[in-house]
Amino acid sequence: MSDVIQIPAGERGVIRVFDLDMPAEQAKFLREPGALAQVLGIPEIDLEHVEIFPISDLEELGLAGYLIQGCGIAEAEITPDRAKLEAIKGHVLLLRSRAFDGAEMRLTPAAPISLVASYGERAINWSAPPMPETASSKPYSAAPTSPRAARSQARRIGASLFAVVMALILLLLYVLVF
C-alpha cells in the first residue's frame, strides 16, 4: 500500500496525476463503477471527473502537453515535473477534485498506483472592468414622447411604406401591360 493522500473538504481546481503500473486490461477495468474507488480505498468516486488512458493515445503531444493544453495547467507548474511525466509509459490516471464532490477523503492507493504530481488548474478571472456611465444607461433618459405622438409617427411611416409598395406594383403592371 502506498502513502495516504489527504483530500481536504471543499477542494477545487486540483488535478492529481497517477502512474498506473499495471496491465492494460486491469487499467481498463478501473473504468467500471466501483473498481477505481476500491483500489483508491474510498467508498465512492464520480467517474465523470476521472480520466484513465494510455500515454500512447497522446502521440506527439505527450502528457505534459496534454496537461497544459487540455487541462489548463500553467506551463511553469509542469516544467519541474516534465521528466517524471515523460517517464510514464503505460496508462495514466487523472483525478480532478470534483470527483470527490467536495467531501474530505483519504486516498490509500493500491501498490500499482502511484501519485506522480498534483497541479492546480488556472483560476478564471470572472471580474470585468466597470462599465462607463453613459447618459443612455440612466433610467428615463430617452426623449419623452407621448403615446399619441408615437401612434401618429407610426401611421406616417406605415402610410409611406404602403405608398411605395403600391407605386412599385403599379409600375410593374405598367411594364407588363405595355
Side-chain angles (χ1 to χ4, degrees):
M1 201 171 269
S2 300
D3 296 332
V4 174
I5 302 166
Q6 189 68 34
I7 310 294
E11 179 182 83
R12 296 180 62 183
V14 176
I15 296 178
R16 288 177 177 77
V17 180
F18 291 88
D19 182 10
L20 301 178
D21 186 22
M22 57 182 64
E25 297 79 27
Q26 193 175 1
K28 288 178 185 175
F29 176 72
L30 293 179
R31 295 182 185 131
E32 297 296 321
L36 182 61
Q38 183 178 0
V39 296
L40 291 176
I42 56 177
E44 64 181 339
I45 192 165
D46 184 358
L47 293 177
E48 291 292 318
H49 304 289
V50 173
E51 292 182 63
I52 300 171
F53 55 90
I55 294 293
S56 60
D57 284 357
L58 299 176
E59 297 175 353
E60 302 91 38
L61 183 63
L63 183 56
Y66 177 71
L67 290 170
I68 294 166
Q69 295 178 16
C71 298
I73 298 172
E75 189 170 357
E77 200 172 342
I78 298 285
T79 303
D81 298 326
R82 191 173 288 272
K84 288 194 297 187
L85 294 172
E86 290 172 358
I88 299 173
K89 297 297 178 205
H91 280 70
V92 68
L93 163 68
L94 299 183
L95 189 57
R96 299 179 189 278
S97 297
R98 290 177 280 182
F100 307 113
D101 199 27
E104 181 177 353
M105 292 284 172
R106 287 175 44 99
L107 303 180
T108 53
I113 300 175
S114 59
L115 178 67
V116 176
S118 296
Y119 302 107
E121 295 174 287
R122 279 186 225 140
I124 297 173
N125 181 5
W126 292 100
S127 64
M131 294 296 294
E133 192 71 29
T134 60
S136 63
S137 67
K138 295 179 181 161
Y140 309 111
S141 62
T145 56
S146 70
R148 184 171 288 162
R151 276 194 307 271
S152 176
Q153 182 181 10
R155 282 190 197 116
R156 282 192 305 272
I157 292 172
S160 300
L161 287 174
F162 180 74
V164 168
V165 169
M166 291 308 290
L168 288 174
I169 290 174
L170 289 174
L171 181 64
L172 181 65
L173 287 174
Y174 180 77
V175 169
L176 290 175
V177 172
F178 295 109

